[in-house]
Amino acid sequence: RYEVTQAQWLAKMGSNPSSFVSENGYPGSFERPVENVSWDMIQPFCSQNGLRLPTEAEWEYAYRAGTTTAFHSYPAQPTGFNNDNLLVNIAWYYSNSGSQTHAVGGKYANALGLHDMSGNVWEWCKDWYSDTYYGSSPLTNPTGPTTGSSRLLRGGYWNNLSNNCRASQRVGRTPGYVCYGVGFRVVRTP
């Protein structure tokens, strides 16, 4: 339901790479998303816990939760919305973050009960990045390219403008890329 927190990361990995920690004057840091983690750093965490990163298709399906709008639904907008001014209800981003991450779950969830799909931290996906989204993949549960030089990030982060928090926004970064605006959420294969 949430991005992986600093507490969850610390419990399994032993040290916290995040910038927004209590030692740096950020209260409630253990409930904030872990950040400053590369795609490569995340792999041992996932392996130890029987988890994995979502594919890009899974991530977008989870974000949209049945909507086709720029932003997912919340109680006052049950079919989603396209108005950037309403983003404050579901995301921590440039206009309301105070230039920092926030505890996960502090904004409205989407129709699937998932929080922070927009903003707070960019989220790594399993797939390699391609400018053509899914390329020639099938329409049902498409997969990205089988190789590449960059992995996928989705969702936007606390210092992005609203356009980077849209359901369709995506960027690619090398698997070793680390930034205070990058974290992740995990999925479990049944």
Side-chain angles (χ1 to χ4, degrees), residues 6 19-30 32 35 98-101:
Q6 293 180 33
S19 296
F20 300 105
V21 296
S22 58
E23 297 84 49
N24 295 337
Y26 295 97
S29 61
F30 292 122
R32 294 173 188 241
E35 24 84 18
S99 299
Q100 60 182 297
T101 61

Side-chain angles (χ1 to χ4, degrees), residues 154-165:
R154 300 292 301 260
Y157 82 112
W158 55 265
N159 200 34
N160 279 146
L161 298 175
S162 59
N163 64 314
N164 280 325
C165 297

Side-chain angles (χ1 to χ4, degrees), residues 13-74:
M13 305 307 287
S15 64
N16 187 352
S18 301
S19 296
F20 300 105
V21 296
S22 58
E23 297 84 49
N24 295 337
Y26 295 97
S29 61
F30 292 122
E31 295 310 312
R32 294 173 188 241
V34 66
E35 24 84 18
N36 275 332
V37 289
S38 70
W39 190 93
D40 291 334
M41 291 168 66
I42 292 165
Q43 300 315 302
F45 178 89
C46 290
S47 295
Q48 288 179 23
N49 294 292
L51 303 168
R52 64 177 174 81
L53 293 173
T55 66
E56 181 175 23
E58 290 170 332
W59 189 95
E60 188 163 338
Y61 178 88
Y63 179 108
R64 289 189 181 278
T67 66
T68 58
T69 53
F71 304 105
H72 67 70
S73 65
Y74 68 97

Side-chain angles (χ1 to χ4, degrees), residues 5 33 109:
T5 66

Side-chain angles (χ1 to χ4, degrees), residues 49-158:
N49 294 292
L51 303 168
R52 64 177 174 81
L53 293 173
T55 66
E56 181 175 23
E58 290 170 332
W59 189 95
E60 188 163 338
Y61 178 88
Y63 179 108
R64 289 189 181 278
T67 66
T68 58
T69 53
F71 304 105
H72 67 70
S73 65
Y74 68 97
Q77 298 290 322
T79 59
F81 61 97
N82 293 316
N83 182 342
D84 289 19
N85 295 323
L86 298 176
L87 185 59
V88 298
N89 294 292
I90 65 168
W92 295 109
Y93 70 113
Y94 181 80
S95 293
N96 67 346
S97 71
S99 299
Q100 60 182 297
T101 61
H102 290 266
V104 300
K107 295 291 183 176
Y108 285 115
N110 68 11
L112 295 176
L114 303 175
H115 294 263
D116 304 307
M117 295 296 293
S118 283
N120 223 5
V121 292
W122 281 104
E123 298 178 13
W124 286 109
C125 291
K126 178 181 175 183
D127 297 356
W128 291 102
Y129 176 80
S130 169
D131 287 337
T132 59
Y133 264 84
Y134 309 114
S136 60
S137 292
L139 292 177
T140 302
N141 200 20
T143 56
T146 56
T147 63
S149 59
S150 295
R151 294 288 185 172
L152 242 301
L153 289 164
R154 300 292 301 260
Y157 82 112
W158 55 265

